[in-house]
Amino acid sequence: MEAASSLNVAAIKKFKMEAPFDKCGYNIFEGSDTSKIVKENIATDGWYKNEENYDYALGTKKKDMDKEKSDQFTNMMWKSTKKVGFGIKGKYVVAWYCPKGNDPATSKDFKKNVCKKDGCKLCLEDKKGVKYGYNKCYNDDAVKSTNLVRGKHNGKKVEFGEDVAKGAQAHADKLKTDDKLSESAKGDGKARKKCWENTYKLPDGKDEFDLAQFDSDSVNIALNDWHKQVSLYNFKDGKAKDDKDKA
């Protein structure tokens, strides 16, 4: 805040009248080379590089990372912010973001307002499968991810099947109710008779997938786990390396 006081007082008073500071968030940068601050945008670039401190999946700073640096990044990215203004004096740069968003804010607020380059995909309306009978957002991304993995092994692309997704959703609903992994009944639905399945449960400490935002991390957590089972498969013999494990 001391850095902000070195800026033109009249300009600050005028800005406060137009957009009161208590309704704005801010970033402060202190550099050593004034010419670089102006020519190379090192203040804004520095705040942007602080993305490495932020966890998109959790909507908070990464474990053991710097919260202040995470906040500087999310200040810049906050979707509902409408106006920004910069002040520069000597080696100091100040940015004000109005209206402020990331303080105070819940993890859900962060997930809605701080997006990856491909955007924030909101699927809350689909949380219970009311509209489609399955989660459309998850299927859209998971099918793409599945085909990327299949491509690594020269496998043909698979296409989305609505009847298959509805059957898989019914199975997932049952797993949630029983709170344990199990195979679906072999007669569950017409599509199930010609299909097989993979199931995945989040590790201890995580109650459920957050349907407020789907990104590559939340989609791939199950797919990556299944793909790791490649270490259990013997490509030469075309079977599991150990009879106890099925790849």
Side-chain angles (χ1 to χ4, degrees):
M1 197 58 198
E2 286 137 6
S5 66
S6 68
L7 302 178
N8 184 282
V9 176
I12 290 180
K13 288 183 176 179
K14 183 176 185 295
F15 190 80
K16 279 188 173 182
M17 292 176 64
E18 296 175 352
F21 179 67
D22 61 356
K23 295 183 179 180
C24 300
Y26 67 93
N27 282 347
I28 296 176
F29 177 86
E30 180 179 4
S32 57
D33 189 326
T34 306
S35 62
K36 281 189 176 182
I37 292 176
V38 177
K39 293 179 180 179
E40 300 180 15
N41 294 322
I42 60 175
T44 51
D45 287 350
W47 296 329
Y48 179 68
K49 287 179 181 178
N50 286 332
E51 178 186 20
E52 65 185 13
N53 293 271
Y54 181 70
D55 190 320
Y56 287 94
L58 298 178
T60 185
K61 79 173 185 67
K62 290 180 179 177
K63 185 178 180 181
D64 300 326
M65 297 299 273
D66 193 298
K67 183 180 185 303
E68 182 178 350
K69 290 182 178 180
S70 175
D71 287 345
Q72 288 174 344
F73 168 70
T74 57
N75 258 336
M76 289 184 71
M77 298 296 111
W78 204 264
K79 187 188 294 185
S80 62
T81 291
K82 303 298 182 184
K83 294 182 179 181
V84 62
F86 295 87
I88 180 169
K89 187 74 171 182
K91 61 182 182 178
Y92 297 101
V93 177
V94 176
W96 283 7
Y97 305 93
C98 307
K100 66 180 179 180
N102 67 357
D103 182 27
T106 65
S107 61
K108 185 175 290 186
D109 292 329
F110 275 93
K111 291 176 183 180
K112 288 181 179 180
N113 285 280
V114 184
C115 307
K116 288 190 173 181
K117 292 178 181 179
D118 59 354
C120 296
K121 298 181 179 181
L122 303 180
C123 295
L124 291 176
E125 64 175 3
D126 211 20
K127 187 169 184 178
K128 295 182 179 179
V130 175
K131 188 173 181 180
Y132 300 100
Y134 57 89
N135 193 294
K136 187 175 185 302
C137 283
Y138 189 86
N139 274 270
D140 288 346
D141 282 353
V143 169
K144 292 178 183 177
S145 296
T146 297
N147 281 324
L148 285 174
V149 173
R150 287 171 66 90
K152 294 179 181 179
H153 299 274
N154 295 317
K156 292 183 178 180
K157 287 186 177 182
V158 291
E159 62 182 24
F160 171 73
E162 185 172 19
D163 57 338
V164 180
K166 288 180 178 180
Q169 183 62 51
H171 187 185
D173 291 344
K174 184 176 186 302
L175 296 182
K176 172 65 175 176
T177 300
D178 297 344
D179 196 25
K180 65 179 181 179
L181 292 177
S182 64
E183 293 184 2
S184 60
K186 296 188 181 298
D188 285 355
K190 294 180 180 179
R192 174 63 183 83
K193 295 178 181 179
K194 298 181 180 180
C195 302
W196 196 235
E197 66 207 13
N198 279 350
T199 56
Y200 176 84
K201 183 179 180 180
L202 284 170
D204 293 339
K206 293 186 177 182
D207 295 331
E208 60 181 50
F209 287 100
D210 190 340
L211 300 181
Q213 178 184 12
F214 279 128
D215 54 29
S216 58
D217 294 331
S218 58
V219 169
N220 290 334
I221 186 172
L223 305 184
N224 286 340
D225 185 77
W226 295 329
H227 187 227
K228 287 179 182 177
Q229 308 310 313
V230 67
S231 62
L232 302 175
Y233 183 72
N234 189 319
F235 286 90
K236 183 178 180 180
D237 296 337
K239 61 182 182 181
K241 292 180 179 179
D242 190 327
D243 291 338
K244 295 179 181 179
D245 298 306
K246 292 184 179 179

